[in-house]
Amino acid sequence: MKWSEQAWLSIEPIYESILQMPFIKELIEGTLPLEKFQYYLMQDSIYLEHFGRALAIIGARATHIPDMLAFFRFAETTIVVENVLHESYFKSFGIVDKDNIQPACHHYTHFLKSTTALEAVEIGMAAVLPCFWIYKAVGDYIYQQQKGLNNPYQKWIDTYSGEEFGIAVKSAINICDTNATQTTVAIQDKMTEAFIMSSRLEFDFWEAAYINRRWR
């Protein structure tokens, strides 16, 4: 069994919990309250800036040149292309200024940057993978489950269920699998631990948007 297959099995309960979240169910129906999606967009915009930096750190530390180039491309796509998507949403939903970073986003981004900077590079690769893989899986699920037309969140759904994003996800998975085969069992175990932690933080990120979790 590939490392990625074993890693996904380890987070299946988390993934299933994500699919059952009110945030996801209401995205499917197009009934998610605007203020909850606005919170999500503003925090996600902040998150993507830090996520892009984490990807660049992996690129700088990658052992193999193709991996280095792949992660630099991931970083560029994250910062440039996805920020364009958010800017279009900001205009559509009347968002003028970004919010301050809130607890869930703060926790997740600091976990990613500290892991990619201080742990073995393979562990960093595993830590950023859920943001690729879970988003693609959730995007596909929402796309398949849609029940009506004129969903106000259709552009977001199309982005994460699209073929172009799917290619990037497969590339990130393959890179993790290749690097896992070339490292120690101990590092593989830590890769799985990082993958699980980031998956938990994915759940927490969506939950925070739904309940409007903020600093006290």
Side-chain angles (χ1 to χ4, degrees):
M1 182 181 291
K2 294 180 179 179
W3 172 83
S4 62
E5 294 170 342
Q6 174 268 325
W8 186 264
L9 286 175
S10 71
I11 62 103
E12 274 193 343
I14 301 171
Y15 174 66
E16 291 300 325
S17 295
I18 289 172
L19 297 185
Q20 298 305 313
M21 300 181 79
F23 190 99
I24 301 303
K25 289 185 174 182
E26 292 173 17
L27 264 179
I28 293 172
E29 298 166 353
T31 60
L32 183 70
L34 176 59
E35 65 272 15
K36 297 183 187 299
F37 195 68
Q38 287 175 326
Y39 176 108
Y40 162 79
L41 277 180
M42 289 187 287
Q43 291 303 300
D44 197 43
S45 180
I46 296 169
Y47 169 86
L48 289 172
E49 293 180 13
H50 293 279
F51 185 63
R53 294 177 188 276
L55 295 172
I57 291 171
I58 295 173
R61 298 184 64 207
T63 303
H64 307 292
I65 296 298
D67 295 348
M68 177 188 74
L69 295 175
F71 273 93
F72 285 153
R73 285 193 295 269
F74 294 156
E76 180 181 19
T77 299
T78 296
I79 294 171
V80 177
V81 177
E82 297 204 46
N83 271 350
V84 169
L85 173 66
H86 280 79
E87 287 175 7
S88 70
Y89 264 124
F90 281 8
K91 292 179 181 178
S92 298
F93 293 105
I95 300 173
V96 178
D97 298 313
K98 287 185 180 180
D99 195 2
N100 294 322
I101 191 168
Q102 298 300 328
C105 183
H106 183 276
H107 186 182
Y108 197 177
T109 57
H110 279 67
F111 170 73
L112 291 179
K113 289 194 295 183
S114 63
T115 301
T116 55
L118 301 176
E119 300 287 354
V121 68
E122 297 89 351
I123 301 172
M125 291 173 175
V128 299
L129 186 57
C131 187
F132 286 95
W133 201 351
I134 290 179
Y135 259 69
K136 175 58 176 169
V138 170
D140 287 345
Y141 175 80
I142 293 172
Y143 187 82
Q144 294 162 5
Q145 298 294 317
Q146 286 183 106
K147 299 175 181 178
L149 300 175
N150 301 319
N151 189 322
Y153 309 118
Q154 191 64 50
K155 188 183 293 185
W156 184 93
I157 295 169
D158 291 343
T159 297
Y160 291 106
S161 63
E163 182 178 352
E164 185 175 354
F165 184 58
I167 292 171
V169 173
K170 289 179 181 178
S171 176
I173 292 170
N174 290 336
I175 290 172
C176 280
D177 279 333
T178 299
N179 280 267
T181 64
Q182 298 170 356
T183 190
T184 65
V185 172
I187 293 296
Q188 290 175 14
D189 289 343
K190 289 184 177 181
M191 289 174 67
T192 302
E193 290 175 8
F195 185 79
I196 293 171
M197 177 57 72
S198 287
S199 299
R200 289 171 176 156
L201 293 170
E202 287 288 332
F203 178 97
D204 192 55
F205 196 93
W206 276 311
E207 182 179 60
Y210 197 79
I211 65 175
N212 192 32
R213 186 188 303 143
R214 294 184 173 276
W215 300 110
R216 301 296 181 189

